[in-house]
Amino acid sequence: MLVILKSGASDDVVKQVAERIRDLGLQAHISQGEFRTIIGAIGEEKSIYPEQLRSIEGVENVVPIMRPYKLASRDFHPEDSVVTAGAISIGGGHAAIIAGPCAVEERDSCFEIAAAVKDGGANMLRGGAFKPRTSPYSFQGLGEEGLKILRECGDTYGLPVVTEVTDPRNVELVSRYADMLQVGARNMQNFVLLAEIGKVRKPVLLKRGASSSVADWLMSAEYILSEGNNQVVLCERGSRGFEPEVRFTLDVSAIALAKKNSHLPVIVDPSHAAGRRDMVAYLAMAGVAAGADGIIVEVHNCPEKAKCDGAQALTKDAFAALTKQVQKLFTLLGNQV
Ligand code: PEP
Ligand code: MN
């Protein structure tokens, strides 16, 4: 960590900062320039709270050298991580094609959708049983009943299943049925939930919050990793933008940046970004071109009757067509699908 002093800072300030650094068990390396002094704190950065040093009169700035998300960072883990969900691998050249309804609505439609996505080339099934809805009057999901249906569909069609957990009290329940736990965009910074999920041994799909930076996203991953669960996949699903004709703005830079700064696999969710089915395929391709290790898309047997996110749901045929395109691109980029 570098402590940069204000120009003309007195010798007393230099002494005070250096002493504070030594008191914290680190070495202080003083470099005195013509106009400014910089003090390097050498050792374990964790023991320093930059705000404390910053609040010393005469200190201009404190700059950490290492990224604050040590476990998620590529600095300490240069090779790509591979996450395993049921029988499939994600990352390191293995691509995930995850599809299914926004919410599990009832048994028959879920089976029909599962059959359609299997047929269309998906290697994993999605479906929400606990839905985080903006309105308390919207369909909230079937809860445990939905988990049972999703599990049955997954087993019938040989697809591992991913479903959202919204409440730390339900982590154990959802883990009993799911192959992978989803943390939704609205819960990306629900730190109690993240810590609870970090304690189970299930892979996690961590969506990026609609207005979170990539650094905040990776810090959220760090919460899970630091509890001992190293099976985290990141998912970009669009941020809040200013274009009214799309639901969110897909941030392809965030995919490339997350892949650069972290070893964790990253997948793209073009459905929630677009909010409309006519754009889903374009955004899926853009995400894969930016380096995504997979896609997650919403599919429905009868989108106009969907209880949730019908406008962005693909039909069976549109999904099969999208999968063909995406598989070509994955292969071109050297992935296995
Ligand atoms: C979902 O996957 O259905 C969902 C609610 O996604 P997000 O958290 O990205 O809005
Ligand atoms: Mn949805």
Side-chain angles (χ1 to χ4, degrees), residues 93-112:
H94 303 273
I97 298 188
I98 309 172
C102 177
V104 177
E105 298 170 0
E106 38 103 17
R107 206 168 177 280
D108 289 353
S109 67
C110 198
F111 268 83
E112 201 177 315

Side-chain angles (χ1 to χ4, degrees), residues 102 126 131-132 164 182-186 207 237 269 272 298 309:
C102 177
R126 63 149 289 149
K131 295 304 300 175
E164 180 161 354
Q182 177 175 322
V183 177
R186 290 157 190 80
K207 291 203 163 189
R237 46 79 74 204
D269 174 347
H272 289 87
E298 290 188 345
D309 288 351

